[in-house]
């Protein structure tokens, strides 16, 4: 590790020196500087390769129980060095562009000095920021990108204004060349941003972008947190498909924030909607959703800090606990669901859109499984509809079968969005962005397929999942019967077809994904065959729920 850090320092110094020589070249047009910049390029490339090889070797030789902090530092050094080498390449490109200026002094009309000075200042700080784990220093390096963008925009606007009124070909050529030079200087800022974020990773142990750091600071401040980011631990929660940044936040030492939380950052529409839904859930059934500690909006993004709910997800319970515990949890879950469904039920026709949801996700399915879309075929006297025609037929039929009432649905009712707290004997809901008034069949179908699509093939574990599926389906059927929902089987067939089909895009096991695809097709074909008959007579083939 000592050798890596030593070479890392040399690379940072050499890259800084390249930018200094670029500044000198632009100021003085010294041919000797152009030669020095070019000659240093190979040395910097070789130094970066040496560090890269040493980083991989160091990680490979670390013991299995090695401190994650050490691994994070090595990974951060590698990312920093890749970007330092990229900055050195930009310097070579700037140097080469100066050869195309008809008059080397032409560039003096523009403010390249501020850009070079900002880059030099940030490059100079890199080794010390890494050594002292200086979070504010790392943030300053990140913010250099913003300043360099600003300087570039000011110079670019001046050059474009001159370009529009210039008629001399030599001046036009010099202006275009100058734009290229400033563009390379601006790209140094992009690499400095990558370097700053890598240093943040080495310091706090998690990959997080500067805008997310700013959002986290503001959101923590809104929550009443009085410390700095150095006082907290933040750990990414992977597996989110929402496009939002999600991380678990907790104390390193007492600093005013006494609870663990979940930090979410994403588009304003999504985060704001989830905030409103959490508030509605807690008004409906206090404590079912996490508390909101802090919320912050900025331009098109928003962030919030919500309570971290202790416990296990429902799928973890089913796969790991004993039968009596599982039955108790399922009973508690069904009681919670019944309370919500009964208290939010409103008698009114509601038009579902299961096929429209399927169509909106079709491109994603096709990218993963291009063979899960069939063309029209004719076998004997039988017409086999294409996938698109089958979905369009079902969409038309779906309009004939509105839901007779609505409830307040979760909207993404997967088993991993349902938390069981053993100590308090209660159920919690998380990930509530899609909540709203809708057909309870949507939540039920998503829940049932979330059991089915788990890639678990052990006989005993699969039996547990099938048993949990059966319990919930019986509960669901009793609810439908009690409330006089006579078209529930037809809507459930459409909803299950949607869930089976769209789930294939998350499953790379072709055989297992094909099983879900074929079940979706079968259900849609059954719906099409029944058209023209009474939808109250349609019966769902229940065996399709079990694997």
């Amino acid at each position: 590790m000592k050798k890596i850090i030593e070479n890392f320092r040399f690379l940072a110094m050499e890259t800084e020196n390249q930018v200094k020589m670029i500044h000198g070249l632009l100021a003085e047009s010294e041919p000797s500087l152009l030669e020095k910049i070019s000659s240093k390029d190979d040395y910097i490339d070789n130094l970066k390769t040496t560090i890269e090889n040493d980083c991989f070797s160091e990680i490979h030789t670390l013991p299995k129980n090695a401190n994650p902090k050490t691994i994070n530092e090595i990974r951060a050094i590698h990312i920093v060095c890749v970007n330092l080498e990229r900055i050195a390449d930009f310097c070579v490109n700037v140097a080469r562009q100066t050869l195309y200026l008809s008059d080397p002094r032409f560039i003096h009309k523009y403010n390249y000095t501020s850009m070079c000075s900002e880059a030099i200042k940030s490059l100079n700080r890199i080794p010390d920021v890494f050594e002292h784990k200086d979070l504010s220093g790392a943030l300053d390096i990140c913010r250099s990108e913003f300043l360099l963008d600003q300087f570039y925009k000011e110079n670019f606007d001046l050059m474009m204004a001159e370009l529009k009124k210039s008629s001399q070909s030599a001046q036009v050529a010099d202006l275009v060349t100058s734009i290229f030079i400033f563009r390379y200087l601006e790209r140094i800022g992009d690499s400095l941003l990558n370097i700053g974020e890598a240093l943040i990773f080495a310091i706090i142990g998690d990959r997080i972008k500067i805008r997310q750091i700013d959002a986290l600071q503001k959101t923590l401040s809104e929550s009443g947190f009085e410390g700095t980011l150095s006082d907290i631990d933040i750990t990414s929660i992977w597996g989110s498909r929402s496009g939002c940044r999600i991380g678990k936040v907790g104390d390193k030492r007492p600093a005013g924030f006494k609870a663990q939380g979940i930090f979410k950052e994403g588009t304003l529409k999504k985060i704001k909607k989830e905030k409103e839904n959490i508030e509605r859930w807690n008004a409906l059934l206090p404590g079912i959703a996490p508390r909101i500690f802090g919320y912050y909006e900025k331009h098109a993004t928003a962030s919030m800090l919500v309570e971290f709910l202790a416990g296990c997800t429902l799928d973890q319970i089913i796969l790991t606990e004993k039968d009596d515990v599982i039955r108790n949890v399922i009973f508690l879950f069904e009681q919670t669901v019944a309370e919500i469904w009964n208290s939010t039920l409103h008698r009114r026709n509601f038009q579902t859109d299961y096929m429209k949801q399927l169509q909106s996700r079709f491109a994603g399915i096709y990218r993963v499984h291009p063979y899960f879309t069939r063309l029209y075929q004719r076998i004997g006297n039988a017409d086999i509809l294409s996938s698109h025609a089958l979905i369009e037929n079902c969409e038309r039929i779906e309009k004939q079968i509105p839901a007779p009432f609505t409830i307040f649905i979760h909207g993404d009712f997967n088993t991993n969005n349902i938390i069981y707290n053993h100590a308090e004997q209660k159920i919690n809901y998380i990930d509530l962005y899609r909540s709203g008034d809708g057909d309870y069949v949507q939540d039920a179908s998503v829940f049932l397929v979330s059991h089915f699509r788990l890639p678990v093939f052990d006989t005993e574990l699969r039996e547990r999942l099938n048993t949990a599926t059966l319990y919930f389906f019986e509960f669901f059927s009793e609810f439908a019967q009690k409330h006089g929902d006579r078209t529930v089987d037809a809507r459930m067939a459409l909803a299950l077809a949607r869930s089976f089909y769209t789930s294939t895009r998350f499953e790379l096991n072709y055989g297992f994904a094909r099983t879900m695809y074929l079940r979706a097709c079968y259900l849609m074909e059954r719906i099409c065959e029944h058209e023209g008959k009474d939808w109250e007579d349609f019966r769902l083939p229940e065996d399709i729920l079990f694997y």
Side-chain angles (χ1 to χ4, degrees):
M1 188 69 175
K2 184 179 178 182
K3 181 185 173 187
I4 293 173
I5 292 174
E6 188 176 283
N7 284 332
F8 162 60
R9 283 184 168 275
F10 277 125
L11 181 57
M13 286 189 288
E14 291 293 349
T15 306
E16 179 189 345
N17 196 46
Q18 287 287 81
V19 179
K20 286 179 178 176
M21 286 196 287
I22 281 296
H23 183 247
L25 177 65
L26 294 174
E28 301 169 15
S29 308
E30 278 285 337
S32 61
L33 286 174
L34 178 59
E35 188 179 339
K36 283 182 182 178
I37 291 166
S38 298
S39 65
K40 278 289 182 182
D41 188 46
D42 286 341
Y43 171 69
I44 289 172
D45 285 352
N46 291 335
L47 191 53
K48 188 272 290 186
T49 301
T50 300
I51 296 168
E52 188 172 62
N53 291 338
D54 289 342
C55 285
F56 293 148
S57 297
E58 185 74 18
I59 290 176
H60 182 70
T61 55
L62 285 172
K64 288 184 179 180
N65 60 348
N67 188 340
K69 190 171 180 293
T70 303
I71 298 172
N72 291 343
E73 287 179 358
I74 297 170
R75 289 172 60 192
I77 287 173
H78 175 245
I79 295 166
V80 170
C81 291
V82 167
N83 282 279
L84 287 172
E85 189 261 344
R86 195 170 291 156
I87 290 171
D89 285 344
F90 294 147
C91 291
V92 173
N93 292 333
V94 169
R96 288 172 180 165
Q97 285 295 322
T98 60
L99 296 173
Y100 296 102
L101 291 170
S102 61
D103 179 0
R105 292 171 298 177
F106 182 85
I107 199 78
H108 295 175
K109 297 164 65 176
Y110 307 104
N111 184 15
Y112 59 84
T113 297
S114 293
M115 297 188 77
C116 290
S117 298
E118 181 61 32
I120 290 165
K121 181 181 75 174
S122 290
L123 288 166
N124 180 260
R125 298 186 69 179
I126 291 170
D128 286 342
V129 166
F130 178 83
E131 182 181 348
H132 300 296
K133 302 297 179 281
D134 178 6
L135 184 58
S136 62
L139 292 170
D140 286 343
I141 291 170
C142 288
R143 293 186 179 111
S144 289
E145 190 258 352
F146 171 75
L147 291 173
L148 288 169
D149 278 353
Q150 235 179 4
F151 292 141
Y152 171 70
K153 178 71 167 58
E154 291 167 4
N155 286 290
F156 179 79
D157 288 346
L158 287 173
M159 287 183 274
M160 287 301 293
E162 289 190 37
L163 198 56
K164 286 176 183 177
K165 60 186 181 184
S166 178
S167 58
Q168 298 178 3
S169 58
Q171 188 177 25
V172 169
D174 284 344
L175 282 166
V176 170
T177 299
S178 297
I179 289 173
F180 287 151
I181 288 171
F182 276 87
R183 176 62 176 148
Y184 283 123
L185 292 176
E186 183 270 337
R187 289 180 70 186
I188 289 174
D190 298 336
S191 290
L192 285 171
L193 176 61
N194 292 336
I195 288 169
E197 289 177 351
L199 292 169
I200 291 169
F201 171 56
I203 295 163
I204 70 173
D206 195 63
R207 297 298 299 272
I208 186 166
K209 295 183 180 296
I210 180 65
R211 66 178 174 84
Q212 293 163 343
I213 282 277
D214 289 339
L216 178 56
Q217 286 179 315
K218 293 285 187 183
T219 310
L220 283 168
S221 177
E222 289 288 324
S223 74
F225 178 72
E226 298 173 355
T228 68
L229 286 180
S230 299
D231 297 322
I232 67 160
D233 280 317
I234 178 164
T235 309
S236 284
I237 296 175
W238 303 106
S240 169
R241 298 170 177 133
S242 66
C244 295
R245 167 74 193 207
I246 304 177
K248 181 181 173 184
V249 177
D251 259 354
K252 280 184 182 175
R253 51 184 177 269
F257 181 65
K258 303 300 182 186
Q260 288 186 320
I262 296 295
F263 168 71
K264 281 194 169 187
E265 189 266 355
T267 62
L268 176 61
K269 180 182 175 182
K270 281 189 175 182
I271 300 298
K272 188 174 184 178
K273 177 68 172 172
E274 182 160 7
K275 174 181 177 286
E276 291 168 353
N277 285 338
I278 288 174
E279 290 169 345
R280 186 175 171 186
W281 274 111
N282 280 329
L284 169 68
L285 193 62
I288 192 167
R291 291 174 293 162
I292 298 172
F293 293 141
Y295 176 78
Y296 171 69
E297 292 180 7
K298 184 178 181 181
H299 306 311
T301 64
S303 59
M304 66 177 173
L305 188 67
V306 299
E307 177 186 12
F308 172 73
L309 296 170
C312 297
T313 59
L314 205 55
D315 52 354
Q316 290 174 324
I317 296 289
I318 292 167
L319 293 174
T320 61
E321 292 293 343
K322 295 178 181 177
D323 289 346
D324 58 334
V325 175
I326 295 171
R327 191 68 192 99
N328 175 62
V329 173
I330 290 176
F331 173 78
L332 184 61
F333 167 65
E334 289 175 354
Q335 292 293 305
T336 305
V337 173
E339 182 178 353
I340 293 165
W341 286 5
N342 283 311
S343 64
T344 62
L345 189 149
H346 291 286
R347 289 282 172 185
R348 55 175 175 172
N349 279 358
F350 176 80
Q351 184 57 62
T352 60
D353 62 349
Y354 302 125
M355 292 298 103
K356 192 167 286 185
Q357 291 177 38
L358 172 53
Q359 285 182 326
S360 70
R361 294 161 174 81
F362 210 83
I365 297 166
Y366 186 80
R367 278 196 300 272
V368 182
H369 295 291
Y371 298 110
F372 289 177
T373 176
R374 69 189 189 194
L375 301 176
Y376 168 80
Q377 299 175 57
R378 187 171 179 82
I379 301 175
N381 295 323
D383 290 324
I384 309 298
L385 295 177
S386 70
S387 296
H388 289 290
L390 186 61
I391 295 168
E392 286 171 5
N393 262 15
C394 287
E395 184 179 6
R396 176 176 50 77
I397 291 168
E398 186 178 359
K399 292 174 183 175
Q400 306 167 21
I401 325 169
F405 52 81
T406 64
I407 59 105
F408 188 49
I409 64 172
H410 182 289
D412 191 11
F413 210 44
N414 289 295
T415 52
N416 59 1
N417 286 331
I418 300 157
I419 306 293
Y420 166 66
N421 185 319
H422 177 71
E424 299 183 22
Q425 283 293 293
K426 72 173 186 176
I427 297 294
N428 291 111
Y429 288 176
I430 60 172
D431 202 2
L432 299 164
Y433 160 65
R434 293 185 177 87
S435 295
D437 294 316
D439 185 8
Y440 70 112
V441 167
Q442 172 152 339
D443 268 4
S445 65
V446 170
F447 182 81
L448 292 166
V449 173
S450 72
H451 280 153
F452 187 99
R453 75 182 189 187
L454 286 173
V456 175
F457 307 110
D458 176 85
T459 305
E460 183 183 344
L461 294 179
R462 180 49 68 173
E463 186 60 35
R464 285 173 173 230
L465 292 170
N466 286 338
T467 301
T469 296
L470 179 62
Y471 285 149
F472 183 79
F473 186 72
E474 288 174 347
F475 159 78
F476 162 80
S477 300
E478 287 173 10
F479 181 87
Q481 186 176 5
K482 176 183 175 183
H483 292 281
D485 188 353
R486 302 185 185 281
T487 60
V488 64
D489 280 27
R491 298 199 321 280
M492 177 58 87
L494 290 166
L496 286 172
R498 171 261 187 207
S499 293
F500 275 128
Y501 214 143
T502 58
S503 293
T504 61
R505 73 193 196 276
F506 303 128
E507 181 53 63
L508 294 178
N509 180 328
Y510 176 79
F512 189 44
R514 189 169 183 272
T515 296
M516 292 189 282
Y517 160 69
L518 292 174
R519 290 180 188 229
C521 292
Y522 173 68
L523 287 168
M524 289 189 288
E525 286 164 353
R526 286 287 302 270
I527 287 288
C528 290
E529 287 169 7
H530 196 84
E531 188 178 13
K533 302 173 187 175
D534 192 336
W535 289 109
E536 293 185 13
D537 296 333
F538 182 89
R539 291 295 172 263
L540 180 77
E542 296 176 15
D543 288 351
I544 209 156
L545 297 169
F546 307 102
Y547 182 77

